[in-house]
Coordinates of all heavy atoms in Angstrom, one line a residue:
M1 N -125.0 32.7 -225.1 CA -123.6 32.4 -224.8 C -122.6 33.2 -225.6 O -122.8 33.2 -226.8 CB -123.4 30.9 -224.9 CG -122.1 30.4 -224.5 SD -121.8 28.6 -224.8 CE -123.0 27.9 -223.9
S2 N -121.6 33.7 -224.9 CA -120.7 34.5 -225.7 C -119.6 33.6 -226.5 O -119.6 32.4 -226.2 CB -119.8 35.3 -224.6 OG -118.9 34.4 -223.9
E3 N -119.0 34.2 -227.4 CA -118.0 33.4 -228.2 C -116.9 32.9 -227.4 O -116.5 31.6 -227.5 CB -117.5 34.3 -229.3 CG -116.4 33.6 -230.1 CD -115.7 34.7 -231.0 OE1 -115.9 35.9 -231.1 OE2 -114.8 34.1 -231.8
A4 N -116.5 33.6 -226.4 CA -115.3 33.2 -225.6 C -115.9 32.1 -224.7 O -115.1 31.0 -224.5 CB -115.0 34.3 -224.7
R5 N -117.0 32.1 -224.2 CA -117.6 31.0 -223.3 C -117.7 29.7 -224.1 O -117.3 28.7 -223.6 CB -118.9 31.4 -222.7 CG -119.5 30.3 -221.8 CD -118.8 30.2 -220.6 NE -119.3 29.2 -219.8 CZ -118.8 28.6 -218.7 NH1 -117.5 29.0 -218.5 NH2 -119.3 27.7 -218.1
A6 N -118.3 29.8 -225.3 CA -118.4 28.6 -226.1 C -117.1 28.0 -226.5 O -116.9 26.8 -226.5 CB -119.1 29.0 -227.5
A7 N -116.1 28.8 -226.8 CA -114.7 28.4 -227.1 C -114.0 27.7 -225.9 O -113.4 26.6 -226.1 CB -113.9 29.5 -227.6
T8 N -114.2 28.2 -224.7 CA -113.5 27.6 -223.6 C -114.2 26.3 -223.2 O -113.6 25.5 -222.7 CB -113.5 28.6 -222.3 OG1 -114.8 29.0 -222.1 CG2 -112.6 29.8 -222.6
E9 N -115.5 26.3 -223.4 CA -116.2 25.0 -223.2 C -115.8 23.9 -224.1 O -115.6 22.8 -223.6 CB -117.8 25.3 -223.2 CG -118.4 25.9 -222.1 CD -119.9 26.1 -222.1 OE1 -120.5 25.6 -223.1 OE2 -120.4 26.6 -221.2
K10 N -115.5 24.3 -225.3 CA -115.1 23.3 -226.3 C -113.7 22.8 -225.9 O -113.3 21.6 -226.0 CB -115.0 23.9 -227.7 CG -116.4 24.1 -228.4 CD -116.2 24.7 -229.7 CE -117.6 25.0 -230.3 NZ -117.4 25.8 -231.6
L11 N -112.9 23.8 -225.5 CA -111.5 23.5 -225.2 C -111.5 22.6 -223.8 O -110.8 21.5 -223.8 CB -110.6 24.7 -224.9 CG -109.3 24.4 -224.4 CD1 -108.4 23.7 -225.4 CD2 -108.6 25.8 -224.0
Q12 N -112.3 23.0 -222.9 CA -112.4 22.1 -221.7 C -112.9 20.8 -221.9 O -112.4 19.7 -221.5 CB -113.3 22.8 -220.7 CG -113.1 22.3 -219.3 CD -113.6 23.3 -218.3 OE1 -114.2 24.2 -218.6 NE2 -113.3 23.0 -217.0
A13 N -113.8 20.6 -222.9 CA -114.3 19.2 -223.3 C -113.2 18.4 -224.0 O -113.0 17.2 -223.7 CB -115.5 19.4 -224.2
E14 N -112.4 19.1 -224.8 CA -111.3 18.5 -225.5 C -110.2 18.0 -224.4 O -109.7 16.9 -224.5 CB -110.6 19.3 -226.5 CG -111.5 19.5 -227.7 CD -111.7 18.4 -228.6 OE1 -110.9 17.4 -228.5 OE2 -112.7 18.4 -229.4
L15 N -109.9 18.9 -223.5 CA -108.9 18.5 -222.4 C -109.4 17.4 -221.5 O -108.6 16.4 -221.3 CB -108.7 19.8 -221.5 CG -107.8 21.0 -222.1 CD1 -107.9 22.2 -221.2 CD2 -106.4 20.5 -222.3
H16 N -110.7 17.3 -221.2 CA -111.3 16.3 -220.5 C -111.1 15.0 -221.2 O -110.8 14.0 -220.7 CB -112.7 16.6 -220.1 CG -113.4 15.6 -219.2 ND1 -112.8 15.3 -218.0 CD2 -114.4 15.0 -219.3 CE1 -113.5 14.5 -217.3 NE2 -114.6 14.2 -218.2
G17 N -111.3 15.0 -222.6 CA -111.2 13.8 -223.4 C -109.8 13.4 -223.4 O -109.5 12.1 -223.6
L18 N -108.8 14.2 -223.2 CA -107.4 13.8 -223.1 C -106.9 13.5 -221.7 O -105.7 13.3 -221.5 CB -106.6 15.0 -223.7 CG -106.8 15.3 -225.3 CD1 -106.1 16.6 -225.6 CD2 -106.3 14.1 -226.0
G19 N -107.8 13.4 -220.8 CA -107.5 13.0 -219.5 C -107.2 14.1 -218.5 O -106.8 14.0 -217.4
I20 N -107.3 15.5 -218.9 CA -107.0 16.5 -218.0 C -108.3 16.8 -217.4 O -109.1 17.8 -217.9 CB -106.5 17.7 -218.8 CG1 -105.2 17.3 -219.6 CG2 -106.1 18.8 -217.8 CD1 -104.0 16.8 -218.9
T21 N -108.7 16.3 -216.3 CA -110.0 16.5 -215.7 C -109.9 17.7 -214.5 O -111.0 18.0 -214.1 CB -110.5 15.2 -215.0 OG1 -109.5 14.8 -214.1 CG2 -110.6 14.1 -216.1
S22 N -108.7 18.1 -214.3 CA -108.6 19.1 -213.2 C -108.8 20.6 -213.7 O -108.8 21.5 -212.9 CB -107.3 18.9 -212.4 OG -106.3 19.1 -213.4
A23 N -108.9 20.7 -215.0 CA -109.0 22.1 -215.5 C -110.4 22.7 -215.2 O -111.4 22.0 -215.2 CB -108.9 22.0 -217.1
Y24 N -110.4 24.0 -214.9 CA -111.6 24.7 -214.5 C -111.7 26.1 -215.0 O -110.5 26.8 -215.2 CB -111.8 24.7 -213.0 CG -110.8 25.3 -212.2 CD1 -110.9 26.6 -211.9 CD2 -109.6 24.7 -211.9 CE1 -109.9 27.3 -211.2 CE2 -108.5 25.3 -211.2 CZ -108.7 26.7 -210.8 OH -107.7 27.3 -210.0
D25 N -112.8 26.6 -215.2 CA -113.1 27.9 -215.5 C -112.9 28.8 -214.4 O -113.4 28.6 -213.3 CB -114.5 28.2 -216.1 CG -114.8 29.5 -216.6 OD1 -114.4 29.9 -217.7 OD2 -115.4 30.2 -215.7
V26 N -112.0 29.9 -214.6 CA -111.9 30.8 -213.4 C -112.9 31.8 -213.2 O -112.8 32.7 -212.2 CB -110.5 31.5 -213.5 CG1 -109.3 30.5 -213.6 CG2 -110.4 32.5 -214.7
G27 N -114.1 31.7 -214.0 CA -115.2 32.6 -213.7 C -115.3 33.9 -214.6 O -116.2 34.6 -214.5
D28 N -114.5 34.1 -215.6 CA -114.6 35.1 -216.5 C -115.1 34.7 -217.9 O -115.1 35.5 -218.8 CB -113.4 36.0 -216.6 CG -112.1 35.2 -217.2 OD1 -112.3 34.0 -217.6 OD2 -111.1 35.8 -217.4
D29 N -115.5 33.5 -218.0 CA -115.9 32.9 -219.3 C -114.8 32.9 -220.4 O -115.1 32.4 -221.5 CB -117.1 33.7 -219.8 CG -118.3 33.5 -219.1 OD1 -118.5 32.5 -218.2 OD2 -119.4 34.2 -219.2
A30 N -113.7 33.3 -220.1 CA -112.6 33.2 -221.2 C -111.3 32.7 -220.7 O -110.4 32.5 -221.5 CB -112.3 34.7 -221.6
T31 N -111.2 32.3 -219.5 CA -109.9 31.7 -218.9 C -110.2 30.4 -218.2 O -111.1 30.2 -217.5 CB -109.4 32.7 -217.9 OG1 -109.3 33.9 -218.5 CG2 -108.0 32.2 -217.5
I32 N -109.3 29.4 -218.6 CA -109.3 28.1 -218.0 C -108.0 27.8 -217.3 O -106.9 28.0 -217.9 CB -109.5 27.0 -219.1 CG1 -110.9 27.0 -219.7 CG2 -109.3 25.6 -218.4 CD1 -111.1 26.1 -220.8
S33 N -108.0 27.4 -216.0 CA -106.8 27.1 -215.3 C -106.5 25.6 -215.5 O -107.4 24.8 -215.2 CB -106.8 27.5 -213.8 OG -105.7 27.0 -213.2
V34 N -105.5 25.3 -216.1 CA -105.2 23.8 -216.4 C -104.4 23.2 -215.2 O -104.6 22.1 -214.7 CB -104.5 23.6 -217.7 CG1 -104.1 22.1 -218.0 CG2 -105.2 24.2 -218.8
W35 N -103.5 24.0 -214.7 CA -102.6 23.6 -213.6 C -102.0 25.0 -213.0 O -102.0 26.0 -213.8 CB -101.5 22.7 -214.0 CG -100.8 22.0 -213.0 CD1 -101.3 21.2 -212.0 CD2 -99.3 21.9 -212.8 NE1 -100.2 20.7 -211.2 CE2 -99.1 21.0 -211.7 CE3 -98.3 22.3 -213.7 CZ2 -97.8 20.7 -211.4 CZ3 -97.0 21.9 -213.2 CH2 -96.8 21.1 -212.1
I36 N -101.7 25.0 -211.8 CA -101.2 26.3 -211.3 C -100.0 26.7 -212.2 O -99.1 26.0 -212.5 CB -100.7 26.1 -209.8 CG1 -100.4 27.4 -209.2 CG2 -99.5 25.2 -209.6 CD1 -100.3 27.4 -207.7
G37 N -100.2 27.9 -212.7 CA -99.1 28.4 -213.5 C -99.3 28.2 -215.0 O -98.6 28.7 -215.9
L38 N -100.3 27.4 -215.3 CA -100.6 27.1 -216.8 C -102.1 27.4 -217.0 O -102.9 26.6 -216.5 CB -100.4 25.6 -217.1 CG -100.6 25.0 -218.5 CD1 -99.8 25.8 -219.4 CD2 -100.4 23.5 -218.6
V39 N -102.4 28.5 -217.7 CA -103.8 28.9 -217.9 C -103.9 29.2 -219.4 O -103.0 29.5 -220.2 CB -104.1 30.2 -217.2 CG1 -104.0 30.0 -215.7 CG2 -103.1 31.4 -217.6
V40 N -105.1 29.1 -219.9 CA -105.5 29.2 -221.3 C -106.6 30.3 -221.3 O -107.6 30.2 -220.6 CB -106.0 27.9 -222.0 CG1 -106.3 28.3 -223.5 CG2 -105.0 26.8 -221.8
R41 N -106.4 31.3 -222.2 CA -107.4 32.4 -222.3 C -107.9 32.4 -223.8 O -107.1 32.2 -224.7 CB -106.9 33.7 -222.1 CG -106.6 33.8 -220.6 CD -106.0 35.3 -220.2 NE -105.6 35.4 -218.9 CZ -104.6 35.1 -218.4 NH1 -103.6 34.5 -219.1 NH2 -104.3 35.2 -217.1
Y42 N -109.1 32.7 -224.0 CA -109.6 32.9 -225.4 C -109.9 34.3 -225.6 O -110.6 35.0 -224.9 CB -111.0 32.1 -225.6 CG -111.5 32.1 -227.0 CD1 -110.9 31.3 -228.0 CD2 -112.4 33.1 -227.3 CE1 -111.4 31.5 -229.4 CE2 -112.8 33.2 -228.7 CZ -112.4 32.4 -229.6 OH -112.7 32.5 -230.9
R43 N -109.3 34.9 -226.6 CA -109.4 36.3 -226.9 C -109.2 36.5 -228.4 O -108.2 36.0 -229.0 CB -108.5 37.1 -226.0 CG -108.7 38.6 -226.1 CD -107.7 39.4 -225.2 NE -106.4 39.0 -225.8 CZ -105.3 39.4 -225.2 NH1 -105.3 40.2 -224.3 NH2 -104.1 39.0 -225.7
D44 N -109.9 37.3 -229.0 CA -109.8 37.8 -230.4 C -109.6 36.6 -231.4 O -108.8 36.7 -232.3 CB -108.6 38.7 -230.4 CG -108.8 39.9 -229.6 OD1 -109.8 40.5 -229.5 OD2 -107.7 40.5 -229.2
G45 N -110.4 35.5 -231.1 CA -110.3 34.4 -232.0 C -109.1 33.5 -231.8 O -108.9 32.6 -232.7
F46 N -108.4 33.6 -230.7 CA -107.3 32.8 -230.4 C -107.3 32.2 -229.0 O -107.7 32.9 -228.1 CB -105.9 33.6 -230.6 CG -105.6 33.9 -232.1 CD1 -105.8 35.2 -232.5 CD2 -104.9 33.1 -232.9 CE1 -105.6 35.6 -233.8 CE2 -104.5 33.4 -234.1 CZ -104.8 34.6 -234.6
Y47 N -106.9 31.0 -228.9 CA -106.5 30.5 -227.6 C -105.0 30.9 -227.3 O -104.2 30.7 -228.0 CB -106.6 29.0 -227.6 CG -107.9 28.4 -227.7 CD1 -108.4 27.8 -229.0 CD2 -108.9 28.4 -226.7 CE1 -109.6 27.2 -229.1 CE2 -110.1 28.0 -226.9 CZ -110.5 27.3 -228.0 OH -111.7 26.8 -228.2
R48 N -104.8 31.6 -226.1 CA -103.6 31.9 -225.7 C -103.4 31.2 -224.4 O -104.1 31.4 -223.5 CB -103.5 33.4 -225.6 CG -103.9 34.2 -226.8 CD -104.1 35.7 -226.5 NE -104.8 36.3 -227.7 CZ -104.2 36.8 -228.7 NH1 -102.8 36.8 -228.8 NH2 -104.8 37.4 -229.7
W49 N -102.1 30.6 -224.3 CA -101.9 30.0 -223.0 C -100.6 30.5 -222.5 O -99.7 31.0 -223.1 CB -101.9 28.5 -223.0 CG -100.8 27.8 -223.8 CD1 -99.7 27.3 -223.2 CD2 -100.8 27.3 -225.1 NE1 -98.9 26.6 -224.1 CE2 -99.6 26.6 -225.3 CE3 -101.7 27.5 -226.1 CZ2 -99.3 26.1 -226.4 CZ3 -101.4 27.0 -227.4 CH2 -100.2 26.2 -227.5
Q50 N -100.5 30.5 -221.2 CA -99.3 31.0 -220.4 C -98.8 30.0 -219.4 O -99.6 29.4 -218.7 CB -99.7 32.4 -219.8 CG -98.5 32.9 -219.0 CD -98.9 34.3 -218.5 OE1 -99.9 34.9 -218.8 NE2 -98.0 34.9 -217.7
E51 N -97.6 29.7 -219.4 CA -97.0 28.9 -218.3 C -95.9 29.8 -217.7 O -94.9 30.1 -218.5 CB -96.5 27.6 -218.9 CG -95.3 27.8 -219.8 CD -94.7 26.5 -220.3 OE1 -95.3 25.8 -221.0 OE2 -93.5 26.1 -219.9
G52 N -96.1 30.1 -216.5 CA -95.1 31.0 -216.0 C -95.0 32.3 -216.8 O -96.1 32.9 -217.0
S53 N -93.9 32.7 -217.3 CA -93.8 33.9 -218.0 C -93.9 33.7 -219.5 O -93.9 34.6 -220.4 CB -92.5 34.7 -217.7 OG -91.4 33.8 -218.0
A54 N -93.9 32.4 -220.0 CA -93.9 32.1 -221.3 C -95.3 32.1 -221.9 O -96.2 31.6 -221.2 CB -93.4 30.7 -221.6
K55 N -95.5 32.8 -223.1 CA -96.8 32.9 -223.6 C -96.9 32.2 -225.0 O -95.9 32.3 -225.7 CB -97.3 34.3 -223.8 CG -97.3 35.0 -222.4 CD -97.8 36.4 -222.5 CE -97.9 37.0 -221.1 NZ -98.3 38.4 -221.1
R56 N -98.0 31.6 -225.4 CA -98.2 30.9 -226.6 C -99.5 31.2 -227.2 O -100.4 31.7 -226.4 CB -98.1 29.3 -226.5 CG -96.9 28.9 -225.6 CD -95.8 28.7 -226.6 NE -94.6 28.0 -225.8 CZ -93.5 28.8 -225.4 NH1 -93.4 30.0 -225.5 NH2 -92.6 28.1 -224.8
R57 N -99.8 31.0 -228.5 CA -101.2 31.1 -229.0 C -101.4 30.0 -230.0 O -100.5 29.5 -230.6 CB -101.4 32.5 -229.5 CG -100.8 32.8 -230.9 CD -101.2 34.1 -231.4 NE -100.8 34.3 -232.7 CZ -101.1 35.3 -233.5 NH1 -101.8 36.3 -232.9 NH2 -100.7 35.3 -234.7
H58 N -102.6 29.7 -230.2 CA -103.1 28.8 -231.1 C -104.4 29.2 -231.7 O -105.3 29.8 -231.1 CB -103.4 27.4 -230.4 CG -103.6 26.3 -231.2 ND1 -102.6 25.6 -231.8 CD2 -104.7 25.7 -231.7 CE1 -103.0 24.6 -232.5 NE2 -104.4 24.6 -232.5
P59 N -104.6 28.9 -233.2 CA -105.9 29.4 -233.8 C -107.1 29.0 -233.0 O -107.2 27.8 -232.6 CB -105.8 28.8 -235.1 CG -104.3 28.5 -235.4 CD -103.7 28.3 -234.0
G60 N -108.0 29.9 -232.8 CA -109.2 29.6 -232.0 C -110.2 28.7 -232.6 O -111.1 28.1 -232.1
T61 N -110.0 28.4 -234.0 CA -110.9 27.5 -234.7 C -110.5 26.1 -234.4 O -111.2 25.2 -235.0 CB -110.8 27.8 -236.2 OG1 -109.5 27.8 -236.7 CG2 -111.4 29.3 -236.5
D62 N -109.5 25.9 -233.7 CA -109.0 24.5 -233.5 C -108.9 24.1 -232.0 O -107.7 24.0 -231.5 CB -107.6 24.3 -234.2 CG -107.2 22.8 -234.2 OD1 -108.0 22.0 -233.9 OD2 -105.9 22.7 -234.4
P63 N -109.9 24.0 -231.2 CA -109.9 23.6 -229.9 C -109.2 22.2 -229.7 O -108.4 22.1 -228.6 CB -111.3 23.7 -229.3 CG -112.1 23.5 -230.6 CD -111.3 24.0 -231.6
A64 N -109.4 21.3 -230.6 CA -108.7 20.0 -230.4 C -107.2 20.1 -230.4 O -106.5 19.4 -229.6 CB -109.3 19.0 -231.4
G65 N -106.7 20.8 -231.4 CA -105.2 21.0 -231.5 C -104.6 21.7 -230.3 O -103.6 21.3 -229.9
C66 N -105.3 22.8 -229.9 CA -104.8 23.5 -228.7 C -104.9 22.5 -227.5 O -103.9 22.6 -226.7 CB -105.7 24.7 -228.4 SG -105.2 25.7 -227.1
A67 N -105.9 21.8 -227.3 CA -105.9 20.9 -226.1 C -104.9 19.9 -226.2 O -104.3 19.7 -225.2 CB -107.4 20.3 -226.2
M68 N -104.5 19.4 -227.3 CA -103.4 18.4 -227.4 C -102.1 19.0 -227.0 O -101.3 18.5 -226.3 CB -103.4 17.9 -228.9 CG -104.5 16.9 -229.2 SD -104.2 15.9 -230.7 CE -104.2 17.1 -231.9
R69 N -101.9 20.3 -227.5 CA -100.6 20.9 -227.1 C -100.6 21.2 -225.7 O -99.6 21.1 -225.0 CB -100.4 22.2 -227.9 CG -100.1 22.0 -229.4 CD -99.9 23.3 -230.0 NE -99.4 23.2 -231.4 CZ -99.0 24.1 -232.1 NH1 -99.0 25.4 -231.7 NH2 -98.5 23.9 -233.3
V70 N -101.7 21.8 -225.1 CA -101.7 22.2 -223.7 C -101.6 20.8 -222.9 O -101.0 20.9 -221.9 CB -102.9 23.0 -223.3 CG1 -103.1 23.2 -221.9 CG2 -102.9 24.3 -224.1
A71 N -102.3 19.8 -223.2 CA -102.3 18.6 -222.4 C -100.8 18.0 -222.5 O -100.3 17.5 -221.5 CB -103.3 17.5 -223.0
R72 N -100.2 18.1 -223.6 CA -98.9 17.5 -223.7 C -97.9 18.3 -222.7 O -97.1 17.8 -222.0 CB -98.3 17.6 -225.1 CG -96.9 17.1 -225.3 CD -96.5 17.1 -226.7 NE -97.1 18.2 -227.5 CZ -97.6 18.1 -228.8 NH1 -97.6 16.9 -229.3 NH2 -98.2 19.0 -229.3
R73 N -98.1 19.7 -222.8 CA -97.3 20.5 -222.0 C -97.6 20.3 -220.5 O -96.7 20.3 -219.6 CB -97.4 21.9 -222.3 CG -96.5 22.9 -221.6 CD -95.0 22.5 -222.1 NE -94.1 23.3 -221.2 CZ -93.0 22.8 -220.8 NH1 -92.6 21.7 -221.0 NH2 -92.3 23.6 -220.0
F74 N -98.8 20.1 -220.1 CA -99.3 19.8 -218.8 C -98.5 18.6 -218.2 O -98.0 18.5 -217.1 CB -100.8 19.6 -218.8 CG -101.4 19.1 -217.5 CD1 -101.6 19.8 -216.4 CD2 -101.7 17.7 -217.4 CE1 -102.1 19.4 -215.2 CE2 -102.2 17.2 -216.2 CZ -102.4 18.1 -215.1
K75 N -98.5 17.5 -219.0 CA -97.8 16.3 -218.7 C -96.4 16.4 -218.5 O -95.7 15.9 -217.6 CB -98.1 15.2 -219.6 CG -99.6 14.8 -219.5 CD -100.0 13.8 -220.5 CE -101.5 13.5 -220.3 NZ -102.1 12.7 -221.4
E76 N -95.7 17.2 -219.4 CA -94.3 17.6 -219.3 C -94.0 18.3 -218.0 O -93.0 18.1 -217.4 CB -93.8 18.5 -220.5 CG -93.8 17.6 -221.8 CD -93.6 18.5 -223.0 OE1 -93.4 19.8 -222.9 OE2 -93.5 18.0 -224.1
L77 N -94.9 19.3 -217.7 CA -94.6 20.1 -216.5 C -94.7 19.2 -215.3 O -93.9 19.4 -214.3 CB -95.6 21.3 -216.5 CG -95.3 22.4 -217.4 CD1 -96.6 23.3 -217.5 CD2 -94.1 23.2 -217.1
Q78 N -95.6 18.4 -215.2 CA -95.8 17.5 -214.1 C -94.6 16.6 -214.0 O -94.3 16.2 -212.9 CB -97.1 16.8 -214.1 CG -98.3 17.6 -213.8 CD -99.6 16.8 -213.5 OE1 -99.9 16.0 -214.3 NE2 -100.3 17.3 -212.6
A79 N -94.1 16.1 -215.0 CA -93.0 15.2 -215.0 C -91.6 15.8 -214.6 O -90.9 15.2 -213.9 CB -92.9 14.4 -216.3
D80 N -91.5 17.0 -214.9 CA -90.3 17.8 -214.6 C -90.7 19.2 -214.2 O -90.7 20.1 -215.1 CB -89.4 17.8 -215.8 CG -88.0 18.4 -215.6 OD1 -87.6 18.5 -214.3 OD2 -87.3 19.0 -216.5
I81 N -91.1 19.4 -213.0 CA -91.6 20.5 -212.5 C -90.6 21.7 -212.7 O -89.4 21.6 -212.1 CB -92.1 20.5 -211.0 CG1 -93.2 19.5 -211.0 CG2 -92.5 21.9 -210.4 CD1 -93.6 19.2 -209.5
P82 N -90.9 22.8 -213.4 CA -89.9 23.9 -213.6 C -89.7 24.7 -212.3 O -90.3 24.7 -211.4 CB -90.6 24.8 -214.7 CG -92.0 24.5 -214.4 CD -92.2 23.1 -213.9
P83 N -88.4 25.4 -212.3 CA -88.0 26.1 -211.1 C -88.9 27.2 -210.7 O -89.1 27.5 -209.6 CB -86.7 26.7 -211.5 CG -86.3 26.1 -212.8 CD -87.4 25.3 -213.4
W84 N -89.6 27.8 -211.7 CA -90.6 28.9 -211.3 C -91.8 28.5 -210.6 O -92.5 29.2 -209.9 CB -91.0 29.6 -212.6 CG -91.6 28.9 -213.7 CD1 -91.0 28.4 -214.8 CD2 -93.0 28.3 -213.8 NE1 -92.0 27.6 -215.6 CE2 -93.1 27.6 -214.9 CE3 -94.2 28.5 -213.0 CZ2 -94.3 27.0 -215.4 CZ3 -95.2 27.9 -213.4 CH2 -95.3 27.2 -214.5
W85 N -92.1 27.1 -210.7 CA -93.3 26.6 -210.1 C -93.3 26.7 -208.6 O -94.3 27.1 -208.0 CB -93.5 25.1 -210.5 CG -94.8 24.6 -210.1 CD1 -96.0 24.7 -211.0 CD2 -95.2 24.0 -208.9 NE1 -97.0 24.2 -210.2 CE2 -96.7 23.7 -209.0 CE3 -94.6 23.7 -207.8 CZ2 -97.2 23.0 -208.0 CZ3 -95.2 23.0 -206.8 CH2 -96.6 22.8 -206.9
D86 N -92.2 26.4 -207.9 CA -92.2 26.5 -206.4 C -92.5 27.9 -206.0 O -93.1 28.1 -205.0 CB -90.8 26.0 -205.9 CG -90.7 24.5 -206.0 OD1 -91.7 23.7 -205.9 OD2 -89.5 24.0 -206.2
D87 N -91.8 28.9 -206.7 CA -92.0 30.3 -206.2 C -93.4 30.7 -206.5 O -94.0 31.4 -205.6 CB -91.1 31.2 -207.1 CG -89.6 31.0 -206.8 OD1 -89.3 30.5 -205.7 OD2 -88.8 31.3 -207.6
L88 N -94.1 30.3 -207.6 CA -95.4 30.6 -207.8 C -96.4 29.9 -206.8 O -97.3 30.6 -206.3 CB -95.8 30.2 -209.3 CG -97.3 30.6 -209.7 CD1 -97.4 32.1 -209.7 CD2 -97.5 30.0 -211.1
V89 N -96.1 28.7 -206.4 CA -96.9 28.1 -205.5 C -96.9 28.8 -204.1 O -97.9 29.0 -203.5 CB -96.5 26.6 -205.3 CG1 -97.2 26.0 -204.1 CG2 -96.9 25.8 -206.5
R90 N -95.7 29.0 -203.7 CA -95.5 29.8 -202.4 C -96.3 31.2 -202.4 O -97.0 31.6 -201.5 CB -94.2 30.0 -202.1 CG -93.5 28.7 -201.4 CD -92.2 29.0 -200.8 NE -91.1 29.2 -201.8 CZ -90.5 28.2 -202.4 NH1 -90.8 27.0 -202.1 NH2 -89.6 28.4 -203.4
E91 N -96.3 31.9 -203.6 CA -96.9 33.2 -203.8 C -98.4 33.1 -203.7 O -99.1 33.8 -203.0 CB -96.4 33.8 -205.0 CG -97.1 35.1 -205.2 CD -96.5 35.7 -206.5 OE1 -95.3 35.7 -206.9 OE2 -97.4 36.4 -207.2
L92 N -99.0 32.0 -204.4 CA -100.3 31.9 -204.6 C -101.1 31.1 -203.5 O -102.2 31.4 -203.1 CB -100.7 31.3 -205.9 CG -100.3 32.0 -207.1 CD1 -100.7 31.2 -208.4 CD2 -101.1 33.4 -207.2
R93 N -100.4 30.0 -203.0 CA -101.0 29.1 -201.9 C -100.4 29.2 -200.6 O -101.0 28.7 -199.7 CB -100.9 27.7 -202.5 CG -101.7 27.4 -203.8 CD -101.6 26.0 -204.0 NE -102.5 25.6 -205.1 CZ -102.5 24.4 -205.6 NH1 -101.7 23.6 -205.3 NH2 -103.3 24.2 -206.7
G94 N -99.2 29.8 -200.5 CA -98.5 29.7 -199.2 C -97.7 28.5 -199.0 O -97.8 27.6 -199.7
K95 N -96.8 28.6 -198.0 CA -95.9 27.5 -197.6 C -96.6 26.1 -197.4 O -96.0 25.1 -197.8 CB -95.0 27.8 -196.6 CG -94.0 28.9 -197.0 CD -92.9 29.1 -196.0 CE -92.0 30.3 -196.4 NZ -90.9 30.5 -195.6
P96 N -97.7 26.0 -196.8 CA -98.2 24.7 -196.5 C -98.5 23.7 -197.8 O -98.4 22.6 -197.7 CB -99.4 24.8 -195.8 CG -99.4 26.2 -195.2 CD -98.5 27.0 -196.2
A97 N -98.7 24.4 -198.9 CA -98.9 23.7 -200.2 C -97.7 23.4 -201.1 O -97.9 23.0 -202.1 CB -100.0 24.5 -201.0
Q98 N -96.6 23.8 -200.6 CA -95.3 23.8 -201.5 C -95.1 22.4 -202.0 O -94.5 22.2 -203.1 CB -94.1 24.4 -200.8 CG -93.5 23.5 -199.7 CD -92.5 24.4 -199.1 OE1 -92.5 25.6 -199.0 NE2 -91.4 23.7 -198.6
D99 N -95.4 21.3 -201.2 CA -95.2 19.9 -201.8 C -96.3 19.4 -202.7 O -96.3 18.2 -203.0 CB -94.9 19.0 -200.6 CG -93.6 19.4 -199.9 OD1 -92.7 19.9 -200.6 OD2 -93.5 19.2 -198.6
Y100 N -97.3 20.1 -202.9 CA -98.4 19.7 -203.7 C -98.5 20.2 -205.1 O -98.8 21.5 -205.2 CB -99.6 20.0 -203.0 CG -101.0 19.5 -203.7 CD1 -101.3 18.2 -203.8 CD2 -101.8 20.5 -204.4 CE1 -102.4 17.8 -204.5 CE2 -102.9 20.0 -205.1 CZ -103.2 18.7 -205.1 OH -104.3 18.2 -205.8
P101 N -98.0 19.5 -206.1 CA -98.1 20.1 -207.4 C -99.4 20.1 -207.9 O -100.1 20.3 -208.6 CB -97.1 19.2 -208.2 CG -96.9 18.0 -207.5 CD -97.4 18.2 -206.1

């Protein structure tokens, strides 16, 4: 198992423990999609997450801390959907899904 795969599995387990059960691996062993527009990648010993155009990073040795930050941001985004989200949804899913966050 690669270092990236092990790190993303740890992060996904932490997210699941925090109630984020919809997160999934996108198939490259290093990227987890938490919510449309909110993804976490593991690279060079760091978890890096992106929401829209904003990028963040967290030390890779602390999947629990990263999961807490990402889960908190996930809940904030769902409570107050940002303006970029509608455009991203239309681009990625098409108009029929625009009312489904």
Side-chain angles (χ1 to χ4, degrees):
M1 179 182 302
S2 71
E3 176 187 2
R5 179 70 182 164
T8 56
E9 283 183 0
K10 287 178 187 175
L11 178 64
Q12 197 160 7
E14 294 288 343
L15 286 169
H16 189 53
L18 293 170
I20 310 297
T21 58
S22 59
Y24 62 92
D25 181 79
V26 298
D28 66 359
D29 289 343
T31 307
I32 295 174
S33 177
V34 179
W35 194 49
I36 190 167
L38 179 60
V39 296
V40 182
R41 291 180 182 88
Y42 182 83
R43 186 182 58 181
D44 301 329
F46 290 96
Y47 290 106
R48 303 168 194 273
W49 72 90
Q50 181 173 351
E51 69 176 67
S53 61
K55 296 181 181 179
R56 312 274 188 256
R57 77 177 189 174
H58 192 83
T61 57
D62 183 21
C66 181
M68 285 190 297
R69 286 181 171 189
V70 170
R72 180 178 31 224
R73 190 60 187 142
F74 170 79
K75 290 174 184 173
E76 291 170 355
L77 288 170
Q78 285 193 319
D80 186 22
I81 298 172
W84 56 260
W85 191 87
D86 287 330
D87 294 334
L88 184 62
V89 169
R90 277 192 285 280
E91 181 180 320
L92 295 176
R93 293 185 176 170
K95 288 187 179 186
Q98 73 187 35
D99 292 331
Y100 179 72

